[in-house]
Amino acid sequence: MLSTPRARAAPRAARATPGAGRRGEGSRRIGRARAVSEPKPASEIDWNAIGFGLTPTSHMFVATCDLGGTWSAGEVVPFGNLSLSPAAAVLNYGQGVFEGMKAFRTKDDELLVFRPDENAARCEEGSLRMSMPPVPRDLFQQAVMKTISANADYVPPVGLGSLYLRPLLIGTGAILGLGPAPSYTFLVYCSPVASYFKGGQLTPIDLTVEETYHRAAPGGSGSTKCIGNYSPVLKVQLEAKRQGFSDVMYLDARENKYIEEVSSCNFFCVKGNTISTPALQGSILPGITRKSICEMAAARGFKVEERNVSIEEVMDADECFCTGTAVVVAPVGSITYKGKKAQFCDGKTGPVTQAMYDELTGIQQGRIPDERGWNVKVPKDFHL
Ligand code: COI
């Protein structure tokens, strides 16, 4: 059961959670978390001050799927809180997947979204893994385009960031016994963002290798962008940050020897002319930035290897970097493993990392030709 700001006639039971589903109650505290604040006009945003925090925008997209598995056409509605049954499957059993995508403003004031077909396909795959009715790919892409168009003013000026989109598919129907939810909601909200890590986009990050906890196991859900994959990393990540590290690298659960990924991104290392990244074997996320980097690197003449990459060889690499939609291409300044710290490129951004970053962001921002047809242009009146 879900009510959005426009669907105000929701039954009483759907409003049982204090403050849920009502505009103007965004500052109500739940535990330590502060609920989202009201969107402010794009004209009031200080584009030089945004990082990777949530800056609510004016609109979001919502579609629903009933018991019969049929998706509604969906609509653009004002951004606001959701109202759910306490027995919603997503709250009790974590039945949900999400995506991360970015839209950019070009110097000619066009809006571009990067590889939306890939996110639509990954969302479909993830929803099947989580026993949810897939959002038709057409609906997914239309929803993303409409969300960007309805929030066009919130796409940062050229060079000052991007509009990060968060498509979210969740089991909203109430269910007590373990089983798939009787109904689902697909929504897309967004936020203008800039650099994910502190210090700016190409500031090298310091990673620590986790030896006790694992992010995913063979046969698990590590390759699905499901909601539950992320909170287990928080414990380790918080401790690493307390010790001064930027983030954590995870090793495989079987041998505790091969790199899997970093909390929020994929991993690459460079040795001579070879660029290596952990193979997709079911426990790491099939990143769309990862896939793009593999293609770009191969086209530049690098030998690209997707295979088991041991932590020992990584400590001896020439250069390392991380990739992800949020992270983009982040240089790794150092990796600490078993008390030993390997520094790369004197703690500076390496030449391969720089080249990959320049090419990727150049394509995304429409500064260099998009020969592979990765960008989709978004008309500003698409949602009307
Ligand atoms: C993304 O890169 O889009 C993600 O979803 C990672 C998230 C942990 C910020």
Side-chain angles (χ1 to χ4, degrees):
M1 183 82 63
L2 169 129
S3 74
T4 66
R6 191 173 284 182
R8 290 195 194 286
R12 275 184 95 70
R15 292 199 182 142
T17 309
R22 303 258 308 271
R23 305 298 301 278
E25 297 185 349
S27 61
R28 190 180 289 273
R29 282 176 183 272
I30 303 167
R32 289 179 56 218
R34 193 163 66 80
V36 295
S37 54
E38 288 285 294
K40 57 181 173 187
S43 57
E44 288 177 19
I45 295 173
D46 177 358
W47 299 112
N48 290 298
I50 54 171
F52 201 84
L54 179 69
T55 303
T57 68
S58 57
H59 290 87
M60 61 185 189
F61 179 93
V62 183
T64 53
C65 182
D66 60 20
L67 256 183
T70 309
W71 280 98
S72 69
E75 60 177 341
V76 171
V77 298
F79 178 87
N81 292 344
L82 307 180
S83 175
L84 302 179
S85 162
V90 65
L91 298 180
N92 292 262
Y93 300 123
Q95 197 187 16
V97 293
F98 68 95
E99 286 293 321
M101 309 172 66
K102 276 181 176 169
F104 299 84
R105 192 181 297 281
T106 70
K107 67 174 175 23
D108 302 321
D109 203 26
E110 286 184 343
L111 302 181
L112 302 175
V113 58
F114 189 67
R115 308 193 80 173
D117 51 331
E118 290 286 338
N119 292 90
R122 189 171 68 182
C123 183
E124 180 180 294
E125 217 167 285
S127 61
L128 295 173
R129 176 68 179 85
M130 303 298 283
S131 301
M132 299 190 287
V135 178
R137 291 189 194 189
D138 259 14
L139 172 60
F140 183 101
Q141 295 204 46
Q142 297 272 319
V144 166
M145 304 273 285
K146 284 181 181 170
T147 308
I148 298 167
S149 158
N151 294 290
D153 290 351
Y154 291 90
V155 184
V158 63
L160 291 182
S162 58
L163 187 71
Y164 183 80
L165 295 131
R166 193 35 86 72
L168 191 57
L169 166 58
I170 49 179
T172 34
I175 187 154
L176 194 56
L178 183 58
S183 55
Y184 296 85
T185 298
F186 171 60
L187 55 98
V188 185
Y189 69 90
C190 59
S191 172
V193 297
S195 176
Y196 185 81
F197 289 112
K198 279 192 195 137
Q201 203 62 260
L202 278 173
T203 303
I205 57 174
D206 297 304
L207 300 174
T208 178
V209 179
E210 172 58 29
E211 292 177 69
T212 305
Y213 292 99
H214 296 279
R215 189 192 152 271
S221 60
S223 63
T224 305
K225 208 163 172 63
C226 60
I227 290 169
N229 276 352
Y230 289 82
S231 36
V233 308
L234 298 178
K235 178 185 167 76
V236 182
Q237 194 192 43
L238 286 172
E239 175 56 21
K241 287 191 176 176
R242 204 187 56 75
Q243 292 179 24
F245 294 104
S246 319
D247 217 321
V248 180
M249 282 173 80
Y250 292 89
L251 299 176
D252 74 289
R254 197 179 271 134
E255 295 188 58
N256 219 22
K257 174 175 174 189
Y258 299 106
I259 307 299
E260 292 263 291
E261 60 185 38
V262 177
S263 311
S264 56
C265 44
N266 294 120
F267 181 85
F268 285 81
C269 65
V270 184
K271 186 80 179 172
N273 193 44
T274 303
I275 298 186
S276 307
T277 192
L280 302 178
Q281 292 169 341
S283 59
I284 69 166
L285 194 82
I288 293 158
T289 311
R290 173 191 178 281
K291 183 175 178 176
S292 307
I293 294 291
C294 287
E295 285 181 50
M296 283 163 32
R300 280 173 176 259
F302 285 103
K303 188 166 174 233
V304 177
E305 294 185 345
E306 297 183 54
R307 59 178 172 82
N308 283 343
V309 179
S310 76
I311 180 61
E312 300 296 349
E313 71 168 292
V314 164
M315 296 297 276
D316 191 39
D318 297 338
E319 199 175 323
C320 298
F321 59 91
C322 296
T323 66
T325 299
V327 160
V328 191
V329 175
V332 176
S334 73
I335 297 178
T336 300
Y337 174 57
K338 289 192 188 295
K340 192 177 146 212
K341 180 173 178 173
Q343 201 178 46
F344 305 98
C345 305
D346 294 326
K348 300 196 178 74
T349 301
V352 179
T353 308
Q354 182 77 54
M356 291 296 129
Y357 175 85
D358 288 346
E359 184 173 344
L360 179 74
T361 56
I363 294 170
Q364 289 177 324
Q365 295 167 20
R367 282 186 279 106
I368 57 179
D370 173 24
E371 279 157 5
R372 301 175 187 88
W374 283 343
N375 291 326
V376 175
K377 191 177 159 191
V378 185
K380 287 182 190 149
D381 58 358
F382 193 83
H383 66 294
L384 300 175

